[in-house]
Amino acid sequence: MQTSIALIYFSGTGHTAMLAEAVRRGAEVLVDVTEFRITGSHVIEGRFRHEAALELVDRAQGVVFGSPTYMGGPAAEFKAFADATSERWNGGHWKDKVAAGFTTGTCPNGDQSYTLTYFTVLAAQHGMLWCNLDIPGGEDAAGRNRLGTQVGLASQAADGKVAADDLLTATYLGRRVATLVKRFNGVAP
C-alpha cells in the first residue's frame, strides 16, 4: 500500500516554509509527501479557492498543517483554507487521517500554542487522529522541542532565522507522523 502525507501550510516571511521543508525531509524517508503552500492568491473575496489542495488531503493518509502565528492564531490565508474544508467535513472525507501541526512566531512564547490548538480543533472537527510531539521540552539531549510545546511544533524565528533546534524538531515531527501513518495503515514503518 502506498502511503502519503499532505503538507499544507502558509508562510508569509519564509520561516514557516523552512519548517515545512524540514517536516518534508523527515517524512519522505518513509512515505510520499505532497506539499502545498497556500498563498494570498488562493484567497478570492475572502474564500480559499484551490480545489486541488483539498484533493491532496483527500488522497493522503495523513496531513501536517503549518502557519505562522499572527496575533495569537493562524494566518488569515490558512484560516481561509480551513474554512474551505467544510464540504469535506460534511462528507466525513478526512476521518481517521493522522494530523499534526507546526507554527512559528517572533517571541519564545508568542501564543504559538493557540495556533497549534486551532489545528487540533480543525483535525477534531474532521475526525482525524492528532499526532503530538512526544519529546519532553527542554530535556532532549539533541535540543529538540526547546520551547516545550507538546501539542505540536512551536518555533521561534529571531533575527530572520529559524533556530537549528527547531528545524531538527520539525524533521522529527515529519518522521513521527510518517511512522504513525504507516502503522495505522497496516504498513510496517
Side-chain angles (χ1 to χ4, degrees), residues 32-150:
D32 290 333
V33 179
T34 307
E35 186 175 324
F36 184 83
R37 182 175 179 170
I38 300 165
T39 67
S41 66
H42 298 128
V43 181
I44 301 168
E45 296 182 359
R47 298 297 293 174
F48 180 82
R49 307 276 188 219
H50 202 289
E51 183 64 20
L54 299 168
E55 291 171 356
L56 289 177
V57 183
D58 290 346
R59 291 188 300 273
Q61 290 75 45
V63 61
V64 181
F65 300 125
S67 174
T69 296
Y70 290 158
M71 300 308 294
E77 292 85 350
F78 185 89
K79 180 68 168 77
F81 162 80
D83 290 348
T85 69
S86 63
E87 288 181 16
R88 269 55 182 185
W89 173 80
N90 287 333
H93 298 300
W94 295 356
K95 183 180 177 187
D96 295 337
K97 293 179 185 290
V98 176
F102 62 94
T103 188
T104 189
T106 304
C107 299
N109 182 8
D111 295 320
Q112 290 96 321
S113 61
Y114 288 105
T115 299
L116 294 171
T117 300
Y118 178 84
F119 294 155
T120 66
V121 172
L122 174 62
Q125 289 283 319
H126 284 284
M128 295 179 178
L129 308 170
W130 189 256
C131 173
N132 64 359
L133 192 57
D134 65 338
I135 303 170
E139 297 183 18
D140 183 62
R144 299 170 302 179
N145 195 17
R146 69 185 181 93
L147 298 182
T149 305
Q150 296 306 131

